[in-house]
Every structure is written in structure tokens, then in C-alpha cells.
Amino acid sequence: AYYFELHHLSHIYADGTTALTDISLQIPRGKKIAILGHNGAGKSTLFQHLNGILKPTTGTISFQGNKLQYSSKALRTLRQQVGIVFQDADHQLFSGTVKQDIAYGPLNLGWSTEKIEEKIAWAVAQTEVENLLDKPIHFLSVGQKKRVAMAGVLAMEPSVLLLDEPTAGLDHYYATQVLQYLAKLEDGERTILLATHDIQLAYEWAEQIIVMEAGSIIYNGDPITLFYNE
Ligand code: ADP
Ligand code: ADP
């Protein structure tokens, strides 16, 4: 019952920076998992491996029991099931209207028009961006952009959702809103991984916490043990 299994995964960037060292990890279904670590710990690099954007330098990754393949067809299937929302929403939004942007992913999946409309309607309801659909992306606030980026990923109904610092740069009001709509996405099957350096957020939200430091996992377990048994 695992989505991902990582065996001895290491990643060295082209410039020689070692970002991940010997990561072995199993990611179960239906869990809320926080990845906690300072800037540079390797959280984003790990996420990019789970979505097939980066390839391990050494080691392997399996998704649902199958070793990841990096052909464009295999990657398309993977990315339909594993959605990533980048830390900087501008990184993944285009220049049209909110609706065009959210439709982009589903259109690429070759679904019928009705199915696409249905998934978009669901995604925009979850993220409460219904009233922004006709607005150009560049008129939106930071928080609105984050929600639109999230809606675009949700519209593809991913089994695994990778959220890189979803509350970073948001004030308390919007950070709380993000947490509220994340709660609506839990269905017992979907796994949400949330990368953050916010200890309080991780403690309050997660069922499982993975702590990373300098490219290694230094803790993987429940929040209570992490905070009270040190
Ligand atoms: P985090 O998400 O925890 O802040 P990252 O995965 O972004 O950590 O970074 C891990 C390490 O890899 C850092 O030392 C960072 O400077 C380095 N790094 C990230 N992206 C690149 C890149 N494209 N090229 C070289 N080094 C990188
Ligand atoms: P600051 O003004 O220093 O940014 P905030 O009040 O915005 O402080 O919140 C600090 C952090 O606590 C935020 O980054 C946010 O992720 C987290 N946070 C805010 N609201 C909640 C909440 N309801 N549950 C858990 N964590 C929260």
C-alpha cells in the first residue's frame, strides 16, 4: 500500500552540489506528510524526483510498485497522478485567464470536454477561485495565484499532491485558508506531502513528519515522538 518507494537515492546537480544523499523512504497512501527542513535541506529536489522532473544520480524510485520510467509517455502518466505545486506560483502559471490556466493540464490529458469542465468546476470550488475565472493571471494577488496554481493541479485529480511551501509569503489569514482547503482534499486515498520550514504548521497539520538536513533524512515518524521524545 505504498505510492512511492525510494531506495538509496542520491542527487548531485550539474555544478557538483550534492542535494540528496542516500535517501530511502516509503510513502504510504492516504497520509498527510510534512517534510520539514531549513532552506537548502533538499526538500524541493526531493519533490522534483517524485514528479520525474529530476532523475536520481544513483538509486531508484518506484511508483505503485513500478520503477519510474522517463519516457515522455510515462512521465505524462506519472504527472497526472502526482501533482506538484511549486513554491513560486509564477513558475507554473501562464499568461492567459485563470480559466485558461486551470484548463491547461486537463486539456493535455486528452479528456472529453465534459470531463474537463467537470474537473475544473470541482477544482475551482475546492480552492474558492470561482469568481476569478475570467481574470487575467497578472491581476491576481500572491495568495490568489497560489490557489489558481493549486486548482490547475487538482483539476487533474492527482493521487499524490506535492506542495512546496504552500503558506510561505502568505499572511496568517491566507495561510489559514490554505490549510482549510487542504483539509477538504483528504479522502483517505490521496497523499499530501507538504514541504515547509514552519515547525508549528508541520506539527499541527501532519500525521507523519520527515525531517531533512543537508540532503539526508534525520527523522521519519509521527509528530508527537519528534516533539516530545527528543
Ligand atoms: P530546499 O527545498 O529544502 O530549500 P533544495 O532542494 O532547493 O532545498 O536545495 C538543496 C541543495 O541543492 C541546496 O544546496 C541548493 O543550493 C542546491 N540546488 C538546488 N537547485 C540547484 C540547481 N539547479 N543547481 C545546483 N544546485 C542546486
Ligand atoms: P507571521 O506574521 O510571522 O507570518 P502568521 O500568523 O502568518 O505569522 O503565521 C505563522 C505561521 O504559522 C505561518 O507561516 C503559517 O503557515 C502557520 N499557520 C498559520 N495559521 C495556522 C493554523 N491555523 N494552523 C497551523 N499553522 C498555521
Side-chain angles (χ1 to χ4, degrees):
Y2 293 116
Y3 277 127
F4 281 105
E5 291 174 88
L6 280 59
H7 292 282
H8 304 292
L9 183 150
S10 293
H11 190 83
I12 301 173
Y13 280 105
D15 70 353
T17 306
T18 299
L20 297 175
T21 305
D22 198 25
I23 302 284
S24 289
L25 181 64
Q26 290 160 330
I27 298 175
R29 283 174 192 271
K31 278 247 181 184
K32 293 187 285 182
I33 305 170
I35 311 220
L36 202 49
H38 298 299
N39 285 328
K43 305 182 298 294
S44 301
T45 303
L46 179 66
F47 275 7
Q48 290 177 70
H49 280 84
L50 299 180
N51 189 251
I53 296 169
L54 292 175
K55 258 178 156 170
T57 307
T58 57
T60 59
I61 305 176
S62 298
F63 180 66
Q64 294 184 323
N66 301 310
K67 204 179 152 200
L68 284 201
Q69 303 295 322
Y70 295 88
S71 67
S72 51
K73 183 162 178 265
L75 286 177
R76 210 167 72 148
T77 309
L78 177 73
R79 288 173 188 162
Q80 181 186 346
Q81 294 180 82
V82 181
I84 185 166
V85 180
F86 293 96
Q87 179 169 357
D88 178 4
D90 288 328
H91 200 72
Q92 70 188 117
L93 298 175
F94 303 95
S95 52
T97 64
V98 167
K99 180 155 187 191
Q100 284 167 342
D101 196 87
I102 295 171
Y104 179 83
L107 281 171
N108 268 330
L109 296 175
W111 287 343
S112 69
T113 312
E114 288 116 71
K115 183 165 177 182
I116 291 172
E117 291 290 339
E118 182 195 316
K119 298 304 175 193
I120 292 175
W122 175 76
V124 302
Q126 297 306 307
T127 53
E128 297 173 37
V129 295
E130 297 101 321
N131 57 351
L132 300 176
L133 284 176
D134 296 323
K135 282 210 177 193
I137 295 286
H138 64 269
F139 284 172
L140 305 182
S141 72
V142 174
Q144 289 171 336
K145 281 182 186 169
K146 283 203 177 222
R147 276 145 61 197
V148 169
M150 176 85 77
V153 170
L154 283 184
M156 296 193 279
E157 292 213 301
S159 310
V160 181
L161 199 53
L162 309 172
L163 307 174
D164 199 354
E165 301 276 3
T167 59
L170 302 184
D171 62 23
H172 185 82
Y173 173 79
Y174 286 116
T176 306
Q177 268 202 340
V178 168
L179 296 176
Q180 280 171 1
Y181 70 72
L182 279 184
K184 291 196 260 166
L185 301 177
E186 292 155 26
D187 63 359
E189 273 295 300
R190 179 173 290 127
T191 284
I192 305 175
L193 283 108
L194 186 156
T196 183
H197 52 252
D198 184 336
I199 292 172
Q200 190 193 338
L201 169 68
Y203 179 67
E204 290 177 15
W205 175 81
E207 297 165 326
Q208 178 179 344
I209 296 185
I210 293 167
V211 183
M212 295 186 68
E213 196 177 284
S216 298
I217 292 177
I218 58 166
Y219 179 86
N220 182 4
D222 64 89
I224 302 288
T225 312
L226 174 64
F227 290 106
Y228 294 100
N229 265 3
E230 286 279 284

